[in-house]
Amino acid sequence: MGLTRDVVSGGALVIHQSEAGYRFGLEAVLLATDLPDIPREGHDVDLGAGVGAVGLMVGTRRRDVSVLALEVQSSLHGLLQKNIDDNALTARVRAVEGDVRQHQLLLKPHSADLVLMNPPYYRLGQGKVSPIRERAAAHHELHGTLRDFLVAAQYVLKPRGYLKLVIPPLRLTDLLFEIRKGDFQPESVRFVHAKAEREAYLMEWVLRRGPAKQLAVRPPLVLNQEDGFTPEVRDRFANAAVEGR
């Protein structure tokens, strides 16, 4: 299976990924940008890291944080490690191969200031499963449910730590149900629209472990206008891996 060499932020970051297997997309840029504030020398955890796009963007942009990127699929973990090495990020980003359901064996409890995750969108039996294993596992709950990801996030987060996740509206009721059973409070939500006149197809959520301020429903994020991406989306792409942004 061939690889492609894709650049982020004008070449600030180079990501190798499979030509035919799982590939990161816009969701990774959304997840890695517009983040809640965390302290200097903070620690981030990327659950379901894939080839590492999210953790690598954060690790490149924030040289004062460390990132642990957890990925269950061996093929993707291998590319994740290659991308860390090739971008000279071994001092700040660490790859761990493993399943979120084994979080107690893989993660240190109450160690993270921020958890980032783009969990599988579809429950088993819902939607069409890709014949390509990497894509199937990324899109369907083959290696853990939404609840499994939330339990792992709660385990690794410090009290008052943040969880940011990107998820489609079809999982809204599932997310709210699971939040009520755990130690998370929603802090903000933002609906993402491909175009202004279309229904939202993604949501950006920020949750807090423990008490949080009143939920803020932020203005919608519209991705496209007549001449391409909207200014905010262009800025997020351009600065996703630019130090200090």
Side-chain angles (χ1 to χ4, degrees):
M1 189 179 293
L3 299 180
T4 62
R5 181 180 182 275
D6 299 283
V7 299
V8 178
S9 300
L13 178 67
V14 176
I15 298 179
H16 297 90
Q17 54 185 338
S18 170
E19 192 171 30
Y22 170 77
R23 298 176 61 81
F24 79 89
L26 173 64
E27 294 91 339
V29 177
L30 298 181
L31 186 57
T33 56
D34 193 21
L35 298 177
D37 291 331
I38 65 169
R40 292 181 60 84
E41 309 301 326
H43 178 54
D44 296 355
V45 172
D46 178 11
L47 296 178
V51 298
V54 172
L56 291 163
M57 290 180 207
V58 175
T60 302
R61 192 172 70 251
R62 289 286 305 270
R63 294 181 178 272
D64 59 336
V65 304
S66 62
V67 180
L68 184 152
L70 178 67
E71 173 52 44
V72 66
Q73 296 192 73
S74 295
S75 58
L76 295 181
H77 176 267
L79 287 172
L80 165 61
Q81 187 62 62
K82 174 179 174 59
N83 288 326
I84 293 171
D85 295 341
D86 288 358
N87 286 282
L89 287 170
T90 53
R92 294 197 301 281
V93 182
R94 181 165 69 95
V96 174
E97 183 175 356
D99 192 313
V100 294
R101 293 169 292 188
Q102 301 297 319
H103 56 271
Q104 293 186 5
L105 302 176
L106 301 167
L107 304 173
K108 182 179 178 181
H110 313 318
S111 60
D113 299 283
L114 172 66
V115 170
L116 302 164
M117 67 185 195
N118 180 203
Y121 291 167
Y122 301 107
R123 297 187 295 270
L124 291 178
Q126 182 182 47
K128 183 179 179 180
V129 179
S130 173
I132 300 174
R133 183 71 180 181
E134 286 184 1
R135 294 182 183 177
H139 297 152
H140 282 78
E141 295 180 335
L142 302 183
H143 300 290
T145 64
L146 175 60
R147 175 169 175 74
D148 292 324
F149 275 80
L150 288 167
V151 168
Q154 181 173 305
Y155 176 83
V156 75
L157 271 174
K158 297 176 181 177
R160 306 285 292 153
Y162 290 100
L163 166 63
K164 181 179 179 185
L165 69 156
V166 173
I167 198 166
L170 67 90
R171 301 304 302 272
L172 176 59
T173 54
D174 295 334
L175 178 63
L176 295 178
F177 178 76
E178 296 299 344
I179 287 174
R180 292 190 64 182
K181 295 195 295 186
D183 189 28
F184 285 115
Q185 292 293 328
E187 186 157 296
S188 70
V189 60
R190 192 176 193 190
F191 292 89
V192 181
H193 303 253
K195 292 186 177 181
E197 66 274 14
R198 294 185 183 176
E199 295 179 354
Y201 80 104
L202 285 176
M203 304 178 295
E204 287 185 290
W205 281 89
V206 174
L207 311 178
R208 200 90 186 257
R209 185 166 182 264
K213 57 188 179 183
Q214 183 175 345
L215 172 65
V217 180
R218 299 179 59 196
L221 174 60
V222 178
L223 303 180
N224 300 287
Q225 55 189 17
E226 288 187 4
D227 61 346
F229 285 133
T230 56
E232 179 183 347
V233 176
R234 287 200 301 268
D235 181 72
R236 288 171 76 163
F237 266 103
N239 295 293
V242 175
E243 184 179 359
R245 292 299 298 267

